[in-house]
Amino acid sequence: MNRLLHLDRTLDELDPPRWAEPAADATHLVRTVHTLRRVPLRELTPADLRTLLTQQVALPFVLPPAVRLLLEEPLLDAYFHEGDLLLATVTVPETAWHPLPDLADELAAAVAALPRAAFADLPRSAPDDLGRFVARYGSPS
């Protein structure tokens, strides 16, 4: 099944109910997430996807485009540092992957194929986070 069929739709359309406007005193992050829910999926940048993932917003719809990008470039620098989108993706709650086991398997294979040296510039917890993801979803050797 092609999980990227709805790229012309927004999260407000795909993940009802539509969110109301944020409160006048809402934080910048809250305003940003509300705005991103009204952007068509195809227009979301890697940084936008990272924000939505870390805030756990509409994960069944956000994970497929994020994984698609990561399969092409696993250590993509979305906003903060190399690999930040990957780390945001592998650390979403395990339940988010339940409807997407094939994507989890594909991403685990891509992570497992990375050379250990690729982790050198990642945050200190990255090897553990990536290892847990691969152990959970990777194919047994």
Side-chain angles (χ1 to χ4, degrees):
M1 173 174 142
N2 185 347
R3 298 185 198 298
L4 300 173
L5 289 175
H6 303 293
L7 292 176
D8 58 328
R9 298 181 66 198
T10 69
L11 293 174
D12 268 353
E13 293 170 323
L14 295 167
D15 183 43
R18 290 179 188 268
W19 287 13
E21 289 297 316
D25 62 347
T27 65
H28 175 72
L29 178 59
V30 168
R31 287 192 309 274
T32 298
V33 170
H34 278 254
T35 298
L36 292 176
R37 284 188 54 91
R38 295 188 301 272
V39 174
L41 285 177
R42 81 172 66 258
E43 295 176 22
L44 293 173
T45 67
D48 297 337
L49 293 169
R50 187 202 158 281
T51 297
L52 291 165
L53 289 166
T54 59
Q55 296 305 303
Q56 300 182 17
V57 174
L59 294 176
F61 302 104
V62 176
L63 281 168
V67 170
R68 180 187 64 182
L69 290 172
L70 292 169
L71 292 176
E72 294 173 15
E73 188 179 345
L75 296 176
L76 176 70
D77 180 343
Y79 187 75
F80 290 112
H81 56 79
E82 183 177 65
D84 59 352
L85 180 61
L86 177 61
L87 293 173
T89 303
V90 302
T91 57
V92 299
E94 185 177 346
T95 56
W97 293 103
H98 290 172
L100 306 166
D102 53 328
L103 288 180
D105 292 344
E106 288 180 65
L107 185 57
V111 170
L114 290 172
R116 276 314 224 188
F119 302 158
D121 294 330
L122 298 179
R124 188 179 327 216
S125 65
D128 291 339
D129 292 337
L130 295 169
R132 275 190 296 276
F133 186 81
V134 170
R136 187 176 297 129
Y137 300 107
S139 300
S141 300

